[in-house]
Structures are given as structure tokens and as C-alpha cells.
Amino acid sequence: MITGANKGIGHEVARQLAAKGFHVFVGARNSKAGRKAAEDMAKKSGKATFLEIDVADNDSVTTAAREFSKIEDHLDVLVNNAGIIVDGDDAVLEISDDLFRKTLETNTLGALRVTRAFEPLLRKSKAPRVVDVSSGGGQLTGGADGWAPAYCISKTALNGVTVQLAAALPKFAVNSVCPGWVRTEMGGENASRSVEEGADTIVWLASEAPHDLTGKFLRDRKEIPW
Ligand SMILES: NC(=O)c1ccc[n+]([C@@H]2O[C@H](COP(=O)([O-])OP(=O)(O)OC[C@H]3O[C@@H](n4cnc5c(N)ncnc54)[C@H](OP(=O)(O)O)[C@@H]3O)[C@@H](O)[C@H]2O)c1
């Protein structure tokens, strides 16, 4: 199950996993876009089902887990991909508490609450995997450059969620990924990577990576510093 799979990196991850034979749940808060993405994917790539989920809304998340369990009895892979950069996220001393809260609500708490809601279904998998789509912007090593501070802090905190989940769920593989700078609505058209390149490490961790690889931060299938 991939959150924010109606477009961008999440959509490409879902497409590639469906092509590998997974029954993919296309998570999206926008039901029209999510349903269309799942239908197109099912025609071209394999088995895909739309799942309505707004990661910023706890009721929506618990309803999504319930709806999922009516269709499948277990979940092998959760990709916490949904993410936002809020307009005005420009300078750390000027951003409002509201902007900061809104960013954390989706990018950090969103991933934690979706994992919490789907954990009983993941636990029924033989080899459960959780992939948190983070960002190099959240790395503490090397220091910040001032770009999008609320977003970057939310990804630093998401990396904290990843290591805490890895400790709490020793039978799971739980990792953070930086997809690189990717040409999507968020990344913009000047970004250096295609969605295929951005999805690569996420799909690898979701399917082929050694299951004892857990609690790490990766880019290009290699561990990077926090
Ligand atoms: N692009 C890059 O260069 C880059 C670099 C590093 C990390 N990332 C990370 O990669 C992930 C995907 O980004 P992207 O570039 O593919 O961005 P994108 O094209 O803007 O797509 C973001 C996706 O997240 C969804 N989303 C946002 N808030 C949501 C919520 N509350 N509930 C459910 N879905 C929600 C969006 O849904 P709507 O269509 O409804 O808005 C959309 O499907 C994000 O976590 C981002 O931080 C991206």
C-alpha cells in the first residue's frame, strides 16, 4: 500500500510494484485521481485497487485500514510516500506555527499514524516492510542551507520515526529513503531525476533488499548518514 500514489513518485512506485506482481493498493486522498490511477494501472501493469486515505486525518486512516482488511488479510509492504511542502515555508524565523504544524501533520505524524493503523495487517506478512519516503533535506549531517525549513525538519523527524519503528518492530524492515531531486509537481521540471530513478530505491526496499536491512537511511540503494 502506497500513500500519495495518485501522482509523482508514489504513482511510479505503485506502477513498478504492480508490474512485479504485487496487488497494489493505490492510496490517495483525492478519490477521483486515485481511482483513475488505480484503473489505469490495473489495465497496464497488474492488480491495483484504489484506497481512499488522507494521512493527515486519523479517521480516514483507520477507515482505510478497515477497508483494506475487507479485501486482503495481510499487508507485505507499506510505503509512506505522501508529503507536502506548504507555500510560505521560506525562513525558519518567519514560518507560522500553523504552517509548521500542517507540515508535520502530514510528513511526520502521517507516516506514524498510517504505520500504526496498518501494523496488525503488516504483522500477518511473512516479511513485513515499511519504507518512509524522506529527503536529503532532513539530513543533519552537513547542516541545513535554509531551504524549506518546516519541510526539512519534518523529514528529520520522519527519520526519527523510522529508527523508533525499527526498534519497536524487530521483525519488520523499516527504512527511510531519499529519492534524490525528482521531476514531479513537488520537485519541479528542472529536477535532475526521472520518477523512475526516484522510485528505484523505494521499490528495491519494498521487494528485493535484504530483510535484515532495517533502521537505515538510503539513497541509490546505499546507506547515507542521518
Ligand atoms: N520530488 C522530489 O524532488 C523529492 C525529493 C525528496 C523527497 N521527496 C518526497 O517524495 C514524496 C513524494 O513526493 P513527489 O515529489 O512525488 O510529490 P507530489 O508529486 O507533489 O506528490 C505528493 C503526493 O502526496 C499526496 N499527499 C499530500 N498530502 C497528503 C495527505 N494528507 N494524504 C494523502 N496523500 C497526500 C499528494 O496527493 P494530492 O494529489 O491529493 O495532493 C500526492 O499524491 C514526498 O514525501 C516528498 O517529500 C520528493
Side-chain angles (χ1 to χ4, degrees):
M1 200 281 277
I2 302 102
T3 62
N6 53 294
K7 67 184 182 198
I9 297 168
H11 181 268
E12 178 60 18
V13 169
R15 192 192 69 73
Q16 289 189 26
L17 290 175
K20 278 180 178 290
F22 281 86
H23 176 192
V24 162
F25 281 74
V26 176
R29 60 179 167 177
N30 175 331
S31 57
K32 201 172 160 207
R35 192 163 280 118
K36 183 172 184 323
E39 281 168 10
D40 289 350
M41 234 173 265
K43 271 185 220 142
K44 290 184 204 142
S45 308
K47 205 168 175 194
T49 301
F50 165 60
L51 188 68
E52 185 166 346
I53 182 164
D54 180 343
V55 306
D57 176 346
N58 200 47
D59 287 347
S60 168
V61 171
T62 51
T63 302
R66 203 167 45 242
E67 290 302 313
F68 181 104
S69 68
K70 290 180 188 164
I71 303 169
E72 292 284 356
D73 63 2
H74 74 282
L75 174 61
D76 291 316
V77 182
L78 168 64
V79 181
N80 285 311
N81 165 79
I84 52 168
I85 300 180
V86 178
D87 283 347
D89 184 6
D90 297 324
V92 72
L93 292 170
E94 288 163 28
I95 51 175
S96 66
D97 288 0
D98 274 354
L99 186 153
F100 196 32
R101 260 191 220 107
K102 194 174 171 196
T103 307
L104 289 167
E105 193 68 64
T106 295
N107 295 0
T108 312
L109 263 178
L112 179 57
R113 70 164 65 87
V114 175
T115 309
R116 195 169 53 216
F118 282 82
E119 184 261 345
L121 288 153
L122 283 158
R123 205 170 272 287
K124 291 184 189 157
S125 167
K126 287 193 194 93
R129 297 171 186 255
V130 177
V131 184
D132 291 331
V133 183
S134 183
S135 167
Q139 267 176 312
L140 294 174
T141 308
D145 62 5
W147 174 75
Y151 173 79
C152 290
I153 293 167
S154 76
K155 295 296 191 179
T156 308
L158 173 62
N159 287 345
V161 168
T162 296
V163 293
Q164 290 292 336
L165 286 174
L169 301 166
K171 294 194 174 142
F172 290 34
V174 187
N175 292 288
S176 276
V177 173
C178 167
W181 187 25
V182 183
R183 289 186 293 279
T184 62
E185 201 168 301
M186 182 186 285
E189 59 190 24
N190 295 325
S192 52
R193 293 185 177 202
S194 65
V195 280
E196 289 84 356
E197 290 166 318
D200 176 75
T201 302
I202 302 166
V203 170
W204 178 70
L205 282 169
S207 54
E208 290 160 27
H211 198 261
D212 60 358
L213 176 65
T214 189
K216 305 291 188 211
F217 191 18
L218 296 102
R219 183 192 292 130
D220 296 331
R221 302 190 181 195
K222 292 192 185 74
E223 194 178 341
I224 58 172
W226 297 105

